[in-house]
Amino acid sequence: MQWLAQSLAMVDQRITAAFFGIVVVLLSLLVHHSRRAQPQMSYPNVTSAELSAASATLAKALPESVFFGPHPVFIESVQSYWAMQERDIVPQCIFRPRNAREVATAIGIIKRDYDLRTRRGDLPSPFAIRSGGHSPIPGAANTNSGIVIDLRLLNQIVPSRDGLSVVIGSGARWLDVSSALDSKSLAVVGGRNSAVGVGGLTLGGGISFFSPRLGFVCNNILSYEIVLAEGSVATASESSNPGLWRALKGGSNNFGVVTSFVARSFPSTSIWSGFLYMTGSKANQVIDAFHEFNQAKPGIYDEYAGGPLVCFSYLQKLGINVISTHLAYTKPVSWPACWGNFKSIGKLWSTVKIRSLTSATDELVKLSPPGLRELFFTTTVKNDHATLMETYATYKQGAEVMRRVKGMTWTLALQPLLPVMMRKGQPDSQGLGTRTEPLVIILFTVVWKDTADDELVDRTARGIIRHIDEYAASRGVADVYRYLNECASWQRPFDGYGAENKRFLQDMSRIYDPNSLFQRACVGGFKLDMERALPLQSEITNAIRQTTNSNTASQS
């Protein structure tokens, strides 16, 4: 009879796995149905009398690159933002530059208008910079009644002949990058989600499958082409404008409009990656495995292990809790030993396999379809098991609070931030190089449908982060770092870089944007609190200023 019991158990497991697969498919269909059901906005014609001086001058100077509603290019740009909160914002015009010279012309026009308004004591005309448009923060890359600089035509991917570097336009998506490099058996340290834009992710630091071996995305950028506040095109590299080069590694859009990056490239063929899907009952085992993985000593840790990204999700439409754990290994090796603890837990369904980098990054797109209301919020703690368990308990409490939010999906994601990763590559401005203990980035994501629920979602999010931070502080395991690309609008990532690094970024802003164009008129991104900044540091800053002046003179 034992064989019969075993056979029945195997049949039951297969039925459960099949059911779970159907659940995932149904969820995908339900999410996409919600996206299609969103009402279409109207975009009336803008009369010449309604145009700001900057928009009118820009349209006259570059008529083939400036678009107003209801032109199809204008509509496509607004409706192609990832989050619905960004699609709700209607700019005055869309500027789609075809090269860095056109960006320089536009910034020159915007700066002259800004200077005039500043002298009159008027508020500046707003503008926003868009790369992929994948941020869920309202106004991150869009602005009501202002100019949106939509960089998506600057999407060139040009590998060097020696295979050691790639020029990447800041309007490209990571799909464009990996698609161009896969066939050449090359890769760069880039995004894990193929739909994300190159510009925003890179300027915010950027985490990659390759980060444990090579550092953040920003630590692997050899140089930047950037349009500065005065409308000049400059290069920032280790030898040219080195202070700006470092500031751009985590400093966001505070210094100019980056039009292209030169990224370090390296040989890479296929990688092994995918998801393990489990029921919510496996939560304790998964957290145990996650905590143990993060505790690996530097000499033991496998630097080809990308992840794990552990996600706990409550799917309101189906009324179930699921766990999806993403594992990656940046060699074509199936089930490397480093992932043994996760393999032993057991799963209902798995997508892990050897695949191209493009296939691996495409898979993560499915977890975050476009066209819904979205919120990210984050914190960072040391790898303390009790704090991870309290975070999971808080996630479950949050799901109960938000059950009445229509069309809601509620997710907690845990990802490691290990010392081996923090000290790789070129120096940046994030202030992580002195950390000696493993950290955990805690990310919550919320998806919902109706604007009526915005306030409840925001209030719940703030309360959850406050509770986790207080609990971690009580155990002595809190950390000030906040990963900029996953922060909510009310969080302050630059404070988490440390006072010295924030001061450095403020100094660079005063040198490269002395009249604060990108602090006051550029509406998106996190700002540097320049109104509270101390005067420029003397010796170091003067040396940087002299280097800057000589480099700018040689380029003009």
Side-chain angles (χ1 to χ4, degrees):
M1 296 299 292
Q2 186 177 2
W3 66 268
L4 178 60
Q6 291 174 339
S7 298
L8 289 173
M10 290 177 63
V11 170
D12 181 65
Q13 289 174 0
R14 289 171 182 169
I15 291 172
T16 303
F19 171 75
F20 191 81
I22 292 170
V23 164
V24 173
V25 172
L26 285 173
L27 173 65
S28 176
L29 291 173
L30 287 167
V31 168
H32 283 278
H33 174 75
S34 297
R35 178 163 56 94
R36 288 196 301 268
Q38 297 293 339
Q40 294 294 312
M41 296 183 66
S42 60
Y43 304 99
N45 284 300
V46 180
T47 66
S48 58
E50 296 172 316
L51 289 181
S52 69
S55 295
T57 306
L58 183 60
K60 184 176 180 179
L62 297 167
E64 295 182 358
S65 299
V66 179
F67 303 91
F68 300 91
H71 192 284
V73 171
F74 182 97
I75 294 173
E76 184 280 331
S77 182
V78 175
Q79 292 185 352
S80 62
Y81 286 97
W82 177 62
M84 183 55 66
Q85 296 101 309
E86 281 280 70
R87 298 185 187 190
D88 289 344
I89 297 171
V90 181
Q92 188 167 96
C93 70
I94 301 293
F95 168 53
R96 300 194 73 186
R98 295 166 291 185
N99 50 56
R101 293 189 303 278
E102 288 195 351
V103 176
T105 298
I107 292 299
I109 290 169
I110 292 170
K111 178 61 164 54
R112 287 191 291 275
D113 179 74
Y114 173 81
D115 289 343
L116 177 62
R117 287 175 172 271
T118 299
R119 288 194 295 271
R120 293 195 310 230
D122 296 338
L123 292 174
S125 293
F127 72 99
I129 307 166
R130 174 183 181 171
S131 173
H134 203 271
S135 172
I137 298 176
N142 199 356
T143 176
N144 271 317
S145 302
I147 299 170
V148 171
I149 302 175
D150 184 342
L151 299 172
R152 287 179 298 158
L153 293 181
L154 306 184
N155 59 1
Q156 71 274 21
I157 315 293
V158 186
S160 64
R161 290 185 178 181
D162 60 11
L164 298 178
S165 63
V166 184
V167 177
I168 305 173
S170 60
R173 297 178 188 266
W174 292 108
L175 173 63
D176 304 321
V177 179
S178 61
S179 297
L181 299 182
D182 277 349
S183 61
K184 301 180 183 298
S185 297
L186 292 173
V188 297
V189 180
R192 298 170 292 182
N193 181 324
S194 65
V196 171
V198 168
L201 182 87
T202 306
L203 292 173
I207 297 175
S208 170
F209 294 138
F210 298 99
S211 288
R213 183 158 60 102
L214 299 168
F216 286 88
V217 176
C218 68
N219 299 136
N220 292 273
I221 300 301
L222 303 176
S223 68
Y224 304 76
E225 181 183 71
I226 182 170
V227 176
L228 300 173
E230 297 299 330
S232 61
V233 181
T235 297
S237 67
E238 191 170 15
S239 59
S240 178
N241 298 305
L244 179 61
W245 179 63
R246 181 187 153 204
L248 290 169
K249 296 177 184 295
S252 193
N253 65 356
N254 285 291
F255 310 100
V257 182
V258 175
T259 53
S260 67
F261 306 83
V262 178
R264 172 177 171 252
S265 57
F266 49 88
S268 178
T269 54
S270 300
I271 74 169
W272 178 87
S273 74
F275 282 97
L276 308 181
Y277 291 98
M278 310 167 191
T279 62
S281 63
K282 300 281 190 181
N284 287 2
Q285 292 172 266
V286 171
I287 291 173
D288 289 347
F290 178 86
H291 176 261
E292 184 175 345
F293 174 85
N294 293 344
Q295 288 297 102
K297 292 180 171 56
I300 300 173
Y301 181 75
D302 190 334
E303 295 182 355
Y304 289 88
L309 178 63
V310 174
C311 302
F312 306 90
S313 297
Y314 173 71
L315 312 178
Q316 182 203 52
K317 293 182 180 182
L318 301 174
I320 62 172
N321 285 283
V322 298
I323 301 172
S324 53
T325 298
H326 189 272
L327 306 177
Y329 196 74
T330 54
K331 285 183 178 180
V333 177
S334 294
W335 279 112
C338 59
W339 297 131
N341 286 352
F342 289 93
K343 185 178 183 181
S344 64
I345 295 173
K347 60 190 181 298
L348 290 175
W349 188 30
S350 170
T351 65
V352 293
K353 63 180 181 180
I354 294 173
R355 59 176 86 198
S356 69
L357 185 58
T358 297
S359 171
T361 58
D362 272 346
E363 186 175 29
L364 272 80
V365 176
K366 298 172 185 177
L367 293 184
S368 54
L372 300 168
R373 307 191 78 74
E374 310 265 359
L375 175 67
F376 291 174
F377 52 105
T378 186
T379 190
T380 306
V381 299
K382 294 178 182 177
N383 186 44
D384 175 63
H385 189 273
T387 302
L388 297 181
M389 293 302 298
E390 180 65 19
T391 298
Y392 176 69
T394 307
Y395 148 79
K396 292 175 69 177
Q397 292 165 7
E400 289 297 321
V401 171
M402 299 220 290
R403 278 182 182 272
R404 62 190 176 92
V405 174
K406 188 174 182 180
M408 182 268 290
T409 298
W410 171 251
T411 297
L412 161 66
L414 304 176
Q415 50 191 327
L417 186 56
L418 305 179
V420 68
M421 170 181 164
M422 301 178 209
R423 293 189 287 271
K424 294 292 179 67
Q426 303 135 355
D428 60 39
S429 57
Q430 298 182 95
L432 288 167
T434 59
R435 301 296 203 284
T436 58
E437 295 184 64
L439 302 178
V440 177
I441 296 177
I442 296 170
L443 167 67
F444 285 88
T445 71
V446 196
V447 176
W448 72 103
K449 186 176 180 181
D450 292 339
T451 57
D453 293 316
D454 288 4
E455 193 275 333
L456 173 60
V457 171
D458 184 78
R459 185 174 70 250
T460 304
R462 291 172 186 256
I464 281 173
I465 286 298
R466 183 167 55 250
H467 173 76
I468 294 172
D469 286 344
E470 289 173 354
Y471 183 88
S474 73
R475 292 185 55 81
V477 296
D479 194 275
V480 297
Y481 178 73
R482 302 291 180 267
Y483 178 41
L484 184 148
N485 289 328
E486 294 175 353
C487 281
S489 61
W490 36 267
Q491 298 190 282
R492 299 174 61 84
F494 294 126
D495 288 353
Y497 287 11
E500 183 178 347
N501 285 285
K502 185 175 180 180
R503 173 73 185 278
F504 166 75
L505 292 174
Q506 291 171 334
D507 283 357
M508 292 302 101
S509 175
R510 290 197 174 190
I511 291 170
Y512 290 95
D513 184 16
N515 296 314
S516 296
L517 174 69
F518 287 92
Q519 299 300 304
R520 297 185 63 237
C522 182
V523 299
F526 297 93
K527 301 307 175 185
L528 296 172
D529 299 327
M530 294 303 296
E531 67 279 2
R532 293 187 286 177
L534 297 172
L536 285 169
Q537 298 179 41
S538 56
E539 289 132 8
I540 296 176
T541 303
N542 286 337
I544 294 173
R545 192 197 304 272
Q546 290 171 7
T547 304
T548 302
N549 292 338
S550 63
N551 286 330
T552 304
S554 66
Q555 292 167 12
S556 49

